[in-house]
Amino acid sequence: MRTPNFSLAVRAPHLTQTLLSALFLIAIPATGIAGNVAKVMGTAIADVVERVMPAVVVVRTEATRYRLGQDWYFGNLYRIPERLAGQGSGVIINKDGYVLTNRHVVDGAQEIEVVLSDGTKYPAELVGEDFQIDLAVLRIRGGDKLSFPFLDTGDSDTLRVGEFVMALGSPFSLSSSVTLGIVSQKGRAIGALPYEDFIQTDAAVNQGNSGGPLVDMDGKLVGLNTMIQTAGPSAGNIGISFAIPANLAMTVARAIIKDGDWKRPWLGIMMDDAERGVRVARVVPSGPAEKAGLREGDLLLSIKGQPADSPRTVQRAVMGGQAGERIAVSVERAGDLRELTI
């Protein structure tokens, strides 16, 4: 057996410490640390992929669209049917066969098919969708007596910038593909959807990955891959992709499964940035905020016990709750501190 060369530890102690820290983050046994670091890390990652992959699915759709044609001799207009096929990704979120994917993957679909990682195909139905965050919930048909593999949900709120994550899905029809990256940033808003609180990652995500899971090194669902940033004429990955946080996605999914839709919580105010807190620019008449006594010009200092340091922070706190939930806020009005419940 070749004796490991530890000269790297002498010349670059910070690099070694970083690698060892990464090993402990993904629960590598201590006995493996003395071996080949890359091999040990690769084995740990492969173990996670092996556990996760059965819950990752391909989502195939078909729809008939019509385009106008014209008989140039008589001038008559008529409709020409076109059969359109699409494909994306999804993830099974419970044993009953409920599947989470993006709304744009199944938008307008007349037929939906889900393909498991072993190639088994099932028809699926749309349970509900939410356009504000681009989310859809499907249910596999014909599997009532089956118990499907599914992913446990991690806590996307505690996910840290710099942590390793994996994106799984079917880019360019290449099913069961895996890429590895890190969390580049959290709380991203890019102006593409009515509400955005994206996890940004550099894991390679491409067309067809939409709706696939973003998982942590414990194999838990922390996000749903949704969009990518591209440059120039290329539609491929440039190292910037965005995922819906799992906490938000599962809040909406549970509401859809239970009630068929998600009742979006709201305060009923418009906000501006301020040097300290958030300024209430406008209060919607008869909205929750007005009924609670909030007024235009109030300085919102905290919400749910957390500092209200930006409009995004306030919006995130509200969206993380349920419609009808009572929220405690601290406001300053004419120099006086007031505690309100909305």
Side-chain angles (χ1 to χ4, degrees):
M1 180 182 296
R2 182 178 178 183
T3 303
N5 185 349
F6 292 102
S7 60
L8 180 62
V10 176
R11 298 174 186 172
H14 297 296
L15 176 58
T16 302
Q17 184 178 7
T18 300
L19 289 173
L20 293 181
S21 297
L23 290 173
F24 285 118
L25 281 173
I26 54 177
I28 302 297
T31 54
I33 295 176
N36 185 304
V37 172
K39 178 65 175 178
V40 174
M41 289 184 66
T43 299
I45 292 169
D47 289 343
V48 173
V49 172
E50 188 174 354
R51 295 199 312 269
V52 167
M53 192 59 76
V56 182
V57 301
V58 178
V59 178
R60 293 175 179 166
T61 63
E62 287 192 4
T64 300
R65 306 277 175 89
Y66 294 88
R67 63 180 178 86
L68 285 177
Q70 185 175 26
D71 184 336
W72 293 105
Y73 187 78
F74 294 103
N76 297 323
L77 295 175
Y78 54 91
R79 296 196 307 166
I80 302 174
E82 293 180 330
R83 195 69 172 170
L84 304 179
Q87 181 168 303
S89 304
V91 56
I92 304 175
I93 56 173
N94 64 28
K95 63 181 180 62
D96 297 321
Y98 284 94
V99 176
L100 209 57
T101 187
N102 285 131
R103 178 181 179 271
H104 72 260
V105 171
V106 296
D107 187 28
Q110 296 169 328
E111 295 180 17
I112 304 174
E113 182 181 65
V114 167
V115 185
L116 305 189
S117 61
D118 63 2
T120 306
K121 301 177 182 178
Y122 292 96
E125 61 184 356
L126 178 65
V127 179
E129 58 187 1
D130 186 85
F131 79 94
Q132 297 179 84
I133 66 169
D134 193 16
L135 192 78
V137 178
L138 314 177
R139 187 172 188 185
I140 297 173
R141 298 203 314 259
D144 296 341
K145 297 181 180 180
L146 299 177
S147 180
F148 290 95
F150 65 94
L151 288 193
D152 290 327
T153 305
D155 186 355
S156 56
D157 288 345
T158 61
L159 192 66
R160 300 169 61 198
V161 174
E163 282 193 45
F164 284 118
V165 286
M166 288 184 288
L168 298 94
S170 303
F172 302 114
S173 301
L174 300 171
S175 60
S176 302
S177 296
V178 186
T179 57
L180 177 69
I182 64 168
V183 176
S184 303
Q185 192 50 263
K186 297 174 62 180
R188 289 296 196 202
I190 59 175
L193 296 172
Y195 177 74
E196 298 171 341
D197 187 27
F198 288 130
I199 298 169
Q200 179 187 334
T201 176
D202 67 350
V205 172
N206 289 284
Q207 293 182 22
N209 271 117
S210 291
L214 186 73
V215 303
D216 63 14
M217 291 300 102
D218 291 322
K220 293 184 177 181
L221 177 69
V222 293
L224 197 73
N225 300 312
T226 300
M227 294 184 181
I228 61 172
Q229 180 72 50
T230 60
S234 171
N237 177 271
I238 59 171
I240 303 176
S241 59
F242 303 97
I244 303 169
N247 289 8
L248 174 61
M250 291 303 296
T251 295
V252 177
R254 292 186 187 104
I256 289 175
I257 292 171
K258 180 182 176 182
D259 303 319
D261 64 357
W262 178 52
K263 297 176 176 62
R264 181 187 181 193
W266 68 303
L267 289 183
I269 60 174
M270 297 183 68
M271 300 171 284
D272 289 330
D273 289 307
E275 291 184 8
R276 185 170 60 93
V278 173
R279 183 72 62 185
V280 178
R282 180 172 176 267
V283 179
V284 177
S286 302
E290 184 185 66
K291 293 177 181 178
L294 208 62
R295 298 179 185 175
E296 183 178 326
D298 283 350
L299 189 64
L300 185 59
L301 300 177
S302 71
I303 181 167
K304 291 185 175 181
Q306 300 297 319
D309 51 16
S310 71
R312 292 287 304 164
T313 301
V314 175
Q315 190 179 32
R316 192 177 301 120
V318 174
M319 293 290 280
Q322 300 287 340
E325 177 185 346
R326 299 177 70 83
I327 295 177
V329 298
S330 297
V331 301
E332 183 181 293
R333 180 184 301 161
D336 295 331
L337 186 65
R338 300 169 183 248
E339 302 295 331
L340 302 176
T341 301
I342 302 175

